[in-house]
């Protein structure tokens, strides 16, 4: 019976000791994770991951930042790993802002829960390019028109019977999306079509439209 009576007390001691505070009574918080490339899951090196106190408070020396700074940056190693360990009672967010040439921007913050260990990983999309060749192979007159619509509000319009051209747009790579186009003759839409296109990261995918 004595052993059974002691178990709740031991459990209470164990659980209350898990939530550690710093010397000043502020919660200890850790944030760690990995940065990967989309689809390939390759770890990404030299990617800056930024931790921010959204209220402008100091983060101490987290990630090697200034003791009075509200931001700290950790640059990933060959394994794509990052880590922050700090004390504070603020409101925190973490992000990678995509401000380097090879990867597409990743918008928004991910929330950090203070006083806890946060496992937060990121997946970035490599940049890619789509080259579209456009040719009017059934010319009618100067009222011929084609409207091409692409993701992110991108696209082009071309007029006249002698259209034979191409253009390039950049997108997040390793992505499948649709290209939409409509053909107009004598100001009347006669053909509305779409096609799925997969664009690989760090590459230029070619696509043709003959109308």
């Amino acid at each position: 019976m004595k052993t059974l009576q002691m178990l709740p007390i031991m459990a209470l001691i164990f659980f209350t000791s898990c939530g550690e505070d710093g010397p000043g009574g502020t919660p200890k918080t850790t944030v760690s994770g990995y940065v990967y490339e989309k689809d390939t899951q390759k770890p990404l090196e030299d990617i800056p991951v930024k931790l921010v106190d959204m209220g402008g408070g100091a983060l101490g020396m987290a990630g090697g930042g200034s003791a009075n700074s509200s931001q700290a940056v950790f640059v990933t190693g060959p394994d794509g790993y990052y880590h922050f360990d700090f004390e504070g009672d603020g409101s925190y967010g973490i992000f990678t802002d995509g401000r380097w040439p090879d990867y597409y921007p990743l918008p928004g913050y991910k929330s950090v829960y203070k006083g806890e260990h946060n496992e937060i990983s990121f997946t970035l999309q490599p940049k890619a390019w789509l080259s579209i060749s456009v040719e009017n192979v059934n010319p009618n007159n100067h009222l011929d028109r084609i409207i091409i619509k692409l993701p992110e509000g991108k696209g082009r319009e071309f007029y006249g019977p002698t259209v034979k051209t191409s253009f390039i747009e950049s997108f997040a790579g390793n992505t499948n999306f649709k290209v939409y186009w409509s053909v107009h003759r004598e100001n009347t839409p006669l053909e509305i079509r779409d096609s799925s296109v997969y664009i690989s990261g760090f590459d230029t995918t070619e696509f043709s439209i003959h109308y």
Side-chain angles (χ1 to χ4, degrees):
M1 294 297 293
K2 290 183 179 179
T3 302
L4 292 175
Q5 290 174 350
M6 288 296 293
L7 284 174
I9 299 174
M10 293 173 66
L12 179 62
I13 294 172
F14 174 79
F15 285 115
T16 54
S17 63
C18 289
E20 296 183 9
D21 287 344
T26 54
K28 286 185 177 180
T29 304
T30 59
V31 192
S32 63
Y34 294 85
V35 182
Y36 299 105
E37 183 176 283
K38 186 180 187 296
D39 287 356
T40 67
Q41 294 302 300
K42 180 180 73 175
L44 297 181
E45 185 178 5
D46 294 329
I47 302 298
V49 180
K50 185 178 289 186
L51 175 70
V52 177
D53 185 332
M54 310 299 283
L59 285 167
M61 300 301 290
S66 166
N68 296 319
S69 175
S70 63
Q71 299 183 357
V73 177
F74 192 107
V75 179
T76 59
D79 57 357
Y81 181 75
Y82 77 90
H83 177 84
F84 295 100
D85 189 350
F86 64 98
E87 298 173 9
D89 199 24
S91 176
Y92 306 102
I94 192 166
F95 72 106
T96 97
D97 60 8
R99 294 173 186 170
W100 48 89
D102 295 333
Y103 289 90
Y104 220 65
L106 180 70
Y109 290 83
K110 293 188 177 184
S111 296
V112 172
Y113 297 97
K114 61 188 175 186
E116 299 181 14
H117 175 64
N118 297 259
E119 289 281 352
I120 301 174
S121 292
F122 297 91
T123 301
L124 300 185
Q125 291 181 280
K127 284 188 175 180
W129 295 265
L130 179 63
S131 175
I132 299 182
S133 298
V134 186
E135 183 176 359
N136 188 351
V137 295
N138 297 295
N140 186 27
N141 57 33
H142 69 283
L143 295 177
D144 291 356
R145 179 188 180 197
I146 184 169
I147 303 172
I148 302 169
K149 294 184 178 181
L150 303 171
E152 302 178 14
K154 297 179 180 180
R156 299 287 178 91
E157 292 186 30
F158 298 100
Y159 298 85
T162 60
V163 172
K164 186 177 182 180
T165 187
S166 64
F167 65 97
I168 296 178
E169 296 284 4
S170 64
F171 297 95
N174 298 341
T175 303
N176 190 79
F177 59 77
K178 284 191 174 182
V179 177
Y180 296 88
W181 67 95
S182 60
V183 177
H184 299 244
R185 309 284 187 188
E186 300 288 345
N187 292 324
T188 301
L190 299 180
E191 181 183 6
I192 300 175
R193 298 187 60 186
D194 64 75
S195 181
S196 294
V197 181
Y198 182 84
I199 55 174
S200 300
F202 307 123
D203 199 3
T204 299
T205 300
E206 296 185 350
F207 184 81
S208 297
I209 299 175
H210 292 167
Y211 65 98

